[in-house]
Amino acid sequence: MDVNRDTARREIRPPLAFVGTFVVGLILSDMLGHPDLPLSGSLERTLGLLGLLLGGGLLFSAVRLFRDAGVDPWRGAPGLITDGVYGRSRNPMILGMTIAYLGAAIFADSMVTLLLLIPLVFVLQNEVIVPEEADMQARFGERYRLYRDNVRRWI
């Protein structure tokens, strides 16, 4: 298959979008007087660490599958990965980053940072995931359609 890998490059890099949004959230939180989450400190730490561990584990599992398959996530995939975490989610990297961000926001006790996750996911859905799925459909045709029909986008 002849694949033009340049067409799959994304303008938005999800890791940078998550880190940038988190930093902006902390700055805004500071400017607004640190609105806290309505949780106890020990519950925040526990839920935060759980989110960081689960999200990080999911992310690194997906990255490992990409690496083992020789896939550059910033360019077009030479093949369709459907096993491992990709058998449960079509976007386990973004899902992992979302869960880790959620955990970090809870751990930081930052309501503002937590609320910024909503527009971030909306932007990533529309500017990264939808175009990426259209590209995958164009590249892999029926094989991708069957995968898409049997594996959820998120969880």
Side-chain angles (χ1 to χ4, degrees):
M1 172 188 300
D2 183 31
V3 176
N4 179 359
R5 294 172 192 256
D6 290 335
T7 62
R9 273 189 256 186
R10 297 181 228 152
E11 296 297 320
I12 297 174
R13 303 276 173 135
L16 295 176
F18 278 101
V19 170
T21 302
F22 193 85
V23 169
V24 166
L26 292 177
I27 292 168
L28 285 173
S29 184
D30 190 46
M31 291 170 60
L32 296 171
H34 299 286
D36 295 337
L37 298 170
L39 303 171
S40 71
S42 61
L43 184 57
E44 286 169 354
R45 287 187 296 282
T46 301
L47 291 175
L49 285 174
L50 184 61
L52 284 165
L53 290 172
L54 287 173
L58 182 60
L59 174 62
F60 288 116
S61 178
V63 167
R64 189 183 72 239
L65 287 169
F66 260 45
R67 187 194 66 223
D68 292 349
V71 174
D72 177 353
W74 310 118
R75 298 185 175 265
L80 186 60
I81 300 172
T82 60
D83 55 342
V85 293
Y86 287 92
R88 295 276 190 200
S89 169
R90 296 194 314 262
N91 296 285
M93 286 188 201
I94 292 179
L95 178 59
M97 285 183 264
T98 300
I99 294 169
Y101 179 106
L102 180 65
I106 292 171
F107 191 87
D109 190 22
S110 176
M111 178 68 78
V112 174
T113 305
L114 182 64
L115 290 174
L116 285 179
L117 183 58
I118 296 166
L120 174 60
V121 169
F122 179 79
V123 167
L124 291 174
Q125 173 83 16
N126 291 304
E127 300 298 322
V128 175
I129 294 172
V130 170
E132 183 178 84
E133 289 190 343
D135 181 61
M136 297 293 280
Q137 179 65 49
R139 288 171 187 239
F140 302 110
E142 181 67 13
R143 186 165 170 233
Y144 180 74
R145 188 193 65 74
L146 288 171
Y147 171 68
R148 184 194 66 219
D149 291 348
N150 290 297
V151 176
R152 293 177 186 214
R153 180 177 278 163
W154 292 96
I155 51 175

